[in-house]
């Protein structure tokens, strides 16, 4: 990484155009639902012309009982275990998903869909509005985690998957896991929510608002109409990403990786360049992010997380969301995660216990912060593999191949 990151501003770049194409014509399977199959949103409106982009790995068994739905986090996408067509980088959860991995694609039929409101092929603010022929922008209705899950349920109906063996995901993906278990308990045999919470905290809402204000303060945001005006709010989105990325790491991880070390220099410049390595790192994170993610999608998806409060839909009692559920749960948290704390996970576990659900809980000792669920964490792999193996035996699925 160099000393200074130059973020293009103003005109849309070739990378912007490439990413924009993914919104309508993604490099992945795509289902387009006709106007006769609208998605009813929590906002009280119907979304017609819904499309859902997804990826699959492995093969379904004869009765399609081996399907696992992986739900992605805020800035993830459907490319969970294959090369991303925009960035050229490996899938975002290849540590967990693949042949012989805990979510074994030689054993399970794995599905991952881009979330509603995203920018990689599922209907979102960068998609073309069929009514106008222009990008939705802020004409896209605001969506919720439950809307995302309902769109995924429509996809599974299309694929002929009546019941999922498992739903798994971390962070916002974990929110979707919990919503699946509450909204469609009869369709979920087991659930693996990782590093998540049953509601967004006031602190997390505050962090989300800082990011959204950074985007909207960029003059090139143009009231959300930047795509139709040929510009891009790169600077605002980059700052939003920089601020958010700090919350994904722990103080220990930042200290271990960067400390107070200077970036390619012996003495400070006594100016405002990136003197410290951690500054250079954050600028790099911001620059790379704007090349693959849509600014309006960032607004919509962070807002969906803010609105998530599972207990609110059940008279304020979280246990009621899982009442009489036959789903098996394994809840996982990390000790250094201050974005979705172990207390958040314990609250989920307490509610599941109160509802009579079958639940196990693991608190993993790690200094990697929230992003630990995306990194090399052998204990997470072992716990996940053990949980899925046990659930598979209970579901009557064949054992994993010996290696």
């Amino acid at each position: 990484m160099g000393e200074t990151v130059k973020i293009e501003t103003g005109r849309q770049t070739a990378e912007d155009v490439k990413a924009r194409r993914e919104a309508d014509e993604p490099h992945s399977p795509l289902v387009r639902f006709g106007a006769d199959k609208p998605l009813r949103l929590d906002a009280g409106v119907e979304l017609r012309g819904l499309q859902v982009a997804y990826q699959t790995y492995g093969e379904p068994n004869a009765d399609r009982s081996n399907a696992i739905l992986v739900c992605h986090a805020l800035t993830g996408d459907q490319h969970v275990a294959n090369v991303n067509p925009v960035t050229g980088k490996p899938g975002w959860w290849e540590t967990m998903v693949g042949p012989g991995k805990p979510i074994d694609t030689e054993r399970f039929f794995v599905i991952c869909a881009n979330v509603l409101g995203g920018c990689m092929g599922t209907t979102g603010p960068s998609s073309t509005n069929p009514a106008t022929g222009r990008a939705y922008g802020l004409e896209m209705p605001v969506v919720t985690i439950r809307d995302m899950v309902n769109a995924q349920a429509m996809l599974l109906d299309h694929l002929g998957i009546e019941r999922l063996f498992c739903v798994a995901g971390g962070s916002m993906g974990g929110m979707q896991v919990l919503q699946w278990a509450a909204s469609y308990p009869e369709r979920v045999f087991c659930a693996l929510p990782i590093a998540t919470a049953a509601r967004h905290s006031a602190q997390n809402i505050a962090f989300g608002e800082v990011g959204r204000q950074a985007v909207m303060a960029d003059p090139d945001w143009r009231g959300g109409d930047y795509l139709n005006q040929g510009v891009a709010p790169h600077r605002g989105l980059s700052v939003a990403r920089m601020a958010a990325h700090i919350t994904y790491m722990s103080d220990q991880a930042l200290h271990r990786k960067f400390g107070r070390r200077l970036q390619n220099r012996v003495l400070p410049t006594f100016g405002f360049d990136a003197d410290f390595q951690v500054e250079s790192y954050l600028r790099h994170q911001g620059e790379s992010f704007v090349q693959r993610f849509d600014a309006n999608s960032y607004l919509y998806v962070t807002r969906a997380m803010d609105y998530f409060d599972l207990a609110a839909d059940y008279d304020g009692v979280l246990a009621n969301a899982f009442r009489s559920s036959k789903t098996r749960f394994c809840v996982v948290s990390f000790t250094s995660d201050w974005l979705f704390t172990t207390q958040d996970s314990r609250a989920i576990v307490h509610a599941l216990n109160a509802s009579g659900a079958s639940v196990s809980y693991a608190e993993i000792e790690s200094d990697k912060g929230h992003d630990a669920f995306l990194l090399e964490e052998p204990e997470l792999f072992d716990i996940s593999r053990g949980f899925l193996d046990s659930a598979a035996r209970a579901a009557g699925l064949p054992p994993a191949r010996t290696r």
Side-chain angles (χ1 to χ4, degrees):
M1 285 175 277
E3 291 184 9
T4 305
V5 171
K6 300 294 185 184
I7 299 173
E8 294 290 335
T9 186
R11 281 185 301 113
Q12 292 178 15
T13 65
E15 289 82 2
D16 291 323
V17 174
K18 181 180 179 182
R20 171 72 176 85
R21 282 198 297 266
E22 290 294 315
D24 289 326
E25 300 293 339
H27 286 79
S28 66
L30 179 70
V31 177
R32 291 188 172 95
F33 295 95
D36 60 327
K37 294 183 178 179
L39 175 63
R40 183 73 179 177
L41 302 177
D42 281 343
V45 299
E46 290 185 342
L47 182 63
R48 297 183 183 275
L50 171 70
Q51 66 179 40
V52 180
Y54 65 100
Q55 284 284 13
T56 66
Y57 311 88
E59 298 294 334
N61 58 10
D63 60 0
R64 295 181 173 261
S65 61
N66 67 333
I68 293 181
L69 178 67
V70 171
C71 301
H72 71 72
L74 168 60
T75 62
D77 50 46
Q78 67 270 37
H79 303 289
V80 60
N82 62 276
V83 172
N84 187 291
V86 174
T87 66
K89 294 181 179 179
W92 57 267
W93 219 11
E94 289 195 347
T95 55
M96 277 279 285
V97 180
K101 301 289 178 66
I103 300 177
D104 190 347
T105 53
E106 293 179 339
R107 185 184 190 190
F108 302 114
F109 178 51
V110 180
I111 307 158
C112 185
N114 187 214
V115 296
L116 185 68
C119 54
M120 289 293 283
T122 295
T123 300
S126 60
S127 305
T128 299
N129 182 345
T132 65
R134 292 159 50 88
Y136 272 105
L138 298 194
E139 292 179 355
M140 173 83 185
V142 171
V143 301
T144 65
I145 298 296
R146 182 162 53 190
D147 294 331
M148 295 175 183
V149 166
N150 288 340
Q152 293 162 2
M154 290 175 66
L155 169 65
L156 295 181
D157 291 342
H158 175 82
L159 296 176
I161 306 294
E162 294 182 4
R163 192 184 193 202
L164 291 162
F165 166 64
C166 184
V167 186
S171 192
M172 188 187 82
M175 291 178 170
Q176 295 165 68
V177 172
L178 297 174
Q179 188 68 65
W180 259 102
S183 294
Y184 300 97
E186 74 287 349
R187 297 188 71 168
V188 180
F189 185 80
C190 69
L192 182 58
I194 304 169
T196 194
R199 65 177 182 178
H200 226 199
S201 69
Q203 177 175 267
N204 288 349
I205 294 170
F207 280 123
E209 176 63 0
V210 169
R212 287 189 294 271
Q213 287 298 321
V215 170
M216 293 187 287
D218 190 319
D220 289 319
W221 183 60
R222 305 285 177 90
D225 196 46
Y226 53 88
L227 288 175
N228 295 319
Q229 297 186 34
V231 294
H234 283 169
R235 289 190 181 277
L237 182 59
S238 175
V239 171
R241 175 61 171 180
M242 290 168 68
H245 198 77
I246 296 168
T247 71
Y248 305 150
M249 302 180 72
S250 68
D251 181 55
Q252 303 99 301
L254 284 168
H255 181 76
R256 182 180 65 250
K257 192 168 186 176
F258 306 109
R260 291 182 49 83
R261 292 186 292 276
L262 298 177
Q263 175 71 19
N264 297 334
R265 64 199 67 186
V266 177
L267 297 172
T269 63
F270 294 96
F272 298 101
D273 201 355
D275 273 7
F276 294 95
Q277 288 182 7
V278 68
E279 293 175 303
S280 180
Y281 171 76
L282 288 175
R283 293 185 186 190
H284 172 75
Q285 288 295 323
E287 181 193 45
S288 59
F289 183 65
V290 302
Q291 305 301 332
R292 70 174 179 87
F293 208 83
D294 176 65
N296 280 338
S297 278
Y298 194 84
L299 305 185
Y300 276 75
V301 180
T302 56
R303 181 51 102 196
M305 295 177 73
D306 289 348
Y307 283 157
F308 185 65
D309 182 355
L310 194 55
D313 296 325
Y314 297 88
D315 300 321
V317 180
L318 185 57
N320 290 344
F322 310 111
R323 190 71 64 192
S324 303
S325 175
K326 293 181 172 59
T327 302
R328 296 166 173 246
F329 293 84
C330 179
V331 180
V332 180
S333 68
F334 300 94
T335 54
S336 60
D337 185 351
W338 58 279
L339 190 65
F340 291 100
T341 65
T342 56
Q343 289 88 344
D344 292 328
S345 289
R346 286 173 180 161
I348 296 168
V349 174
H350 292 160
L352 288 167
N353 281 327
S355 72
S358 171
V359 56
S360 56
Y361 171 57
E363 180 182 20
I364 297 175
E365 188 76 32
S366 170
D367 69 354
K368 296 174 184 175
H370 181 62
D371 265 359
F373 81 95
L374 297 171
L375 304 174
E376 286 288 337
E377 281 288 353
E379 192 172 351
L380 172 63
F381 305 154
D382 291 344
I383 289 166
S384 301
R385 192 188 304 275
F387 173 67
L388 292 174
D389 283 348
S390 175
R393 287 193 297 271
L397 295 177
R401 297 180 186 177
T402 55
R403 290 179 176 269

